[in-house]
Each structure stands twice: as C-alpha cells, then as structure tokens.
C-alpha cells in the first residue's frame, strides 16, 4: 500500500495528466465507424509521445494498451476490429506509468447523438456515484465508507454495482492494497490516511450485478445482457479535500 510523499505525488500527477489527455483524445475520436483497435493505436502513440508507457499492455498478459468496453461489456474489453456505432455506450479505461508511478482512470459516454435516455441516466448516475465515493476519501473515514456511498447512490437510482471487481490502491504498481469495493458498510475496512493513493472505479449495471467472463479470459460482461457503465479516477487522500490526479 502506498502512502505517498509530496515528491511521489508529483510523479503521479504527471501520470494522471497523461491519462486525462489520452481519455480526452480517445473520446473525441470515438465516432461511429471507428474501430476500437484504431482507438487503441492512438492511445499507445499519445502515451509514448508523453514519455509514458501503457500500464495495461502485458499486465498479466493483457494484449492491448487500453480497455474499451461497449454496451453490455462491463470492463476489460479488448480493442479489435469492431466499429463503434451511433448510440453505443462506450467505457474507455486508460492506465499510464511514467517515472515508475501509475495513473488509472476511465470514462463512459454515448456515441453520437444520445438517443436512449435510460442509458444517459446510467452514465450520469455512475459519475455521481464516483463523485460521492471520492468525497468519502478522507481521513477519519474508512475504505467501507467509499463503497457505501457509491452503493447507496447507485441502488437508490434503481441500478446495481458490480461486486466481482473492485477499485484498488495504486502507486509504484497498478494494483496495490487496499481493495476498494463499490459496496460495503460505513465505518468498516482500512482507515484512510493522508497520502494514500487509490483508484475508485464504480462499475454500474442497468440490470443485475452479476457478471461473467468471456472465453478470451478478459472481457467481463453483464450476465443478463444489460448495459453497463464505468467511471474511474486516481485519487490521493489528503488532510483536506481529496486530490483527484486524473481530473
Ligand atoms: N482500470 C482497470 C483496473 O484497474 C484496468 C485494468 S486492465 C488490465 O483493473 F489489463 F490491466 F488488467
Ligand atoms: Co483501476
């Protein structure tokens, strides 16, 4: 688990800056007809042009630079020849390592003119839940307060939070302790301390929370085929307001 010094936080801010730049560029390029492999190639070039490396490429054998998860794909969608279409719910997940420190963030949005109001609400609720989770990342709180804040908001909206995948500590490694579930009970789990760097990443399904993994060993889809959205930030706990490194 990382409790970061000011110098380490500066390195993570630089990785976080590149993550955001890539997310902005990929989102702009996510128009009907573009393939997810093309977006992956763009991401790799952008990351390397900033002196970073894609955190995900080769991680446990992951074969691409970013994850692109469309519609009922929850997370870990592998870029390929499939082209984006009008109305697709796209989740982009980007990790960058530079000078030995990782940043990790994800965005979800609808391609083109958003047509399905319920899909738009799913995306909105996912970002609201992420915001509430970040707001709970304060000393005096515990990891369970983050998950409880996320879960309460999502379920109140009539959606469900994925249980099988969780947020995580982050720093010199992409995944460090503690695990940061998107569900839980207030006042439980590891106490939050200034300097702790964590990735908070609610995965929200329109239907039930159950997921399954495809035969490629990576792609996670909703069991009931319902739409899923994902939003993530890398955050440092401070003495005051949480510091979002990937904003
Ligand atoms: N943001 C995701 C995570 O933290 C992305 C990991 S994809 C992987 O787990 F390829 F690196 F596994
Ligand atoms: Co993550």
């Amino acid at each position: 688990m990382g409790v970061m010094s000011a110098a380490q936080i500066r390195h993570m801010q630089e990785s976080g800056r590149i993550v955001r730049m890539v997310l902005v560029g990929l989102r702009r390029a996510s128009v009907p007809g573009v393939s997810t492999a093309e977006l992956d190639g763009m991401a790799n070039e952008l990351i390397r042009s900033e002196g970073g490396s894609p955190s995900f490429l080769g991680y446990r054998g992951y074969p691409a630079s970013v994850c692109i998860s469309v519609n009922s794909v929850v997370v870990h969608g592998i870029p390929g020849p499939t082209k984006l279409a009008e109305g697709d719910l796209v989740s982009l997940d980007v990790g960058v390592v530079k000078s030995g420190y990782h940043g990790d963030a994800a965005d979800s949005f609808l391609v083109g003119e958003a047509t399905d109001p319920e899909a738009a609400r799913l995306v909105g609720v996912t970002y609201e839940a992420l915001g509430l989770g970040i707001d709970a990342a304060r000393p005096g709180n515990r990891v369970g307060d983050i998950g409880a804040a996320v879960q309460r908001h999502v379920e109140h909206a009539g959606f469900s939070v994925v249980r099988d995948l969780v947020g995580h500590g982050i720093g010199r490694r992409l995944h460090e302790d503690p695990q940061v579930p998107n569900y839980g009970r207030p006042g439980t789990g590891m106490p939050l301390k200034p300097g702790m760097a964590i990735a908070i990443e609610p995965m929200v399904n329109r239907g039930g929370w159950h997921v399954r993994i495809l035969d490629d060993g990576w792609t996670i889809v909703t069991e009931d085929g319902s739409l899923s959205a994902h939003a993530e930030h890398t955050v440092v706990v401070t003495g005051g307001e949480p510091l979002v490194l990937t904003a």
Side-chain angles (χ1 to χ4, degrees), residues 104 168 175 199 201 232:
D104 185 7
H168 48 93
H175 293 146
E201 49 179 318
E232 176 177 23

Side-chain angles (χ1 to χ4, degrees), residues 92-142:
L92 303 173
D93 194 344
V94 175
V96 170
V97 55
K98 183 171 174 181
S99 306
Y101 292 90
H102 292 265
D104 185 7
D107 271 337
S108 289
F109 54 88
L110 298 168
V111 174
E113 307 297 315
T115 41
D116 179 356
E118 193 64 359
R121 192 172 74 90
L122 178 67
V123 171
V125 165
T126 302
Y127 279 98
E128 288 161 9
L130 173 59
L132 292 165
I134 291 170
D135 199 54
R138 295 168 187 273
N141 278 354
R142 292 171 176 260

Side-chain angles (χ1 to χ4, degrees), residues 28-42:
R28 192 176 298 131
S30 294
V31 296
V34 73
S35 75
T36 56
E38 288 174 83
L39 296 173
D40 188 68
M42 275 187 52

